[in-house]
Amino acid sequence: MKAWLHQTFARFAALFRGRELDTDLDEDLATHLELLTDEYVGRGMDRQAARREARLRFGSVVSALELHRDVRSMRWIEILGSETGWAWRGVRARGWKAALVVSLLGVALAANTIVFSAADAFVFRRAPYADSSRLVILQYHSPFGPRSVFHAPAIVEWRRQRDVLGAVEAHTLDAPVYVTAGGITDSIRAERVTSGMFGLLGAAPRWGRPLVPDDARSGATPVALVAEDIATRVFGTAGQAVGQKLETPDGPVVIVGVMPATFRFPTARERIWRPLRVEGQDRRAGYSTIARLAPGVPFDQAAAAVAQRALAIATKRRDPP
């Protein structure tokens, strides 16, 4: 009981020290990357190539920051404050137009609440993915409760369990991309996904091509898929976006495909998707996973097999299962 109270108090106190803790973590990560870069330089690589290899070896810095924030504090309070701030700044930037839109939405929502509530009570809603009843999210139990973030070596091991899981794909939050249209710059949430993720979900670009494994290899041209609404906002028409470039914190990326405006993954907020590679990554980077059961394998049988094999995989890799 005392440990629980101490943990709760520590997380609550961290809400007021967010910038200080983020600064400390940024310094630790920068130091680690610099040491790793020096190690590669000592092996004979030039500085630029060594820095790139160090970032690839380390994995997603954004993912490490998110994991740190999840553990140290009450993340939902931070997200609520951040989203409220973004919304308020957007309203102020657009002035009377925003006020008009909010008013119209309020009237429309009030008029349709009864209709939608009645429909929701009688309509069975499924996930908007192909054969969604076969999709599962892998989780393991930690001292902080159920977790669904796995290290790369564990994901590679789960991909080998083909008799139980037909496919296992990974994703993680990426740095936001800033796009400018009509004189207004918006921050667009981006996600890193393995190349098989869209096939797993039964989704495909409406224009252009999907991500392929070669997109994630070292030295490949940086590419991305964007949502139809973002492509239309920035380039006028979605079809013209293919082949164009977007500026990201890592430099320009080429748009190779445009997803339908109705596509959502993992939530409705992510509208840009970039390639992710888990093979060859070390245990310091964590990724969320989604899997599809192997053909003909019922859920109960798969659950029992996964539970039986989880400890062996965790022990082999010295990782969360």
Side-chain angles (χ1 to χ4, degrees), residues 17-194:
R17 301 178 57 234
R19 292 186 178 180
E20 177 185 347
L21 295 174
D22 283 345
T23 299
D24 292 343
L25 182 59
D26 286 340
E27 293 176 354
D28 290 342
L29 293 176
T31 300
H32 186 85
L33 287 171
E34 193 63 27
L35 291 174
L36 200 55
T37 299
D38 291 341
E39 178 182 338
Y40 285 118
V41 171
R43 297 179 185 180
M45 299 177 66
D46 64 80
R47 194 75 184 176
Q48 184 176 359
R51 185 175 291 107
R52 176 178 175 81
E53 187 65 26
R55 289 187 64 86
L56 291 174
R57 176 75 181 276
F58 184 81
S60 172
V61 173
V62 175
S63 178
L65 289 169
E66 291 296 322
L67 287 173
H68 181 265
R69 290 166 180 163
D70 286 344
V71 172
R72 83 184 184 206
S73 66
M74 300 175 181
R75 186 71 174 132
W76 65 272
I77 296 180
E78 291 186 3
I79 293 174
L80 177 62
S82 176
E83 295 296 330
T84 301
W86 274 108
W88 176 242
R89 284 191 289 272
V91 169
R92 288 195 305 173
R94 291 163 177 82
W96 67 270
K97 294 181 181 179
L100 178 60
V101 170
V102 171
S103 300
L104 292 175
L105 283 175
V107 173
L109 290 173
N112 288 280
T113 296
I114 297 177
V115 176
F116 284 127
S117 297
D120 189 57
F122 294 100
V123 178
F124 180 69
R125 295 177 299 170
R126 302 176 65 88
Y129 308 123
D131 198 15
S132 59
S133 62
R134 306 289 293 171
L135 297 179
V136 295
I137 295 177
L138 299 179
Q139 289 187 331
Y140 64 92
H141 290 279
S142 75
F144 304 103
R147 304 280 291 179
S148 57
V149 176
F150 289 77
H151 298 309
I155 295 175
V156 172
E157 287 295 326
W158 281 116
R159 282 181 162 180
R160 294 171 179 166
Q161 313 301 312
R162 300 302 297 271
D163 59 322
V164 177
L165 304 175
V168 178
E169 302 297 335
H171 63 99
T172 187
L173 184 67
D174 196 15
V177 177
Y178 293 89
V179 300
T180 301
I184 298 176
T185 300
D186 287 329
S187 173
I188 308 300
R189 283 175 65 104
E191 192 82 1
R192 291 272 185 175
V193 299
T194 49

Side-chain angles (χ1 to χ4, degrees), residues 195-237:
S195 59
M197 180 64 76
F198 297 99
L200 180 81
L201 300 176
R206 188 173 179 183
W207 292 274
R209 66 167 177 84
L211 298 178
V212 296
D214 281 347
D215 290 332
R217 64 178 173 81
S218 178
T221 300
V223 299
L225 299 180
V226 302
E228 182 178 349
D229 50 334
I230 301 301
T232 302
R233 185 194 312 176
V234 177
F235 300 105
T237 60

Side-chain angles (χ1 to χ4, degrees), residues 151 283 313-320:
H151 298 309
R283 68 183 304 275
I313 290 177
T315 302
K316 181 178 180 180
R317 293 290 174 178
R318 296 180 181 179
D319 253 348

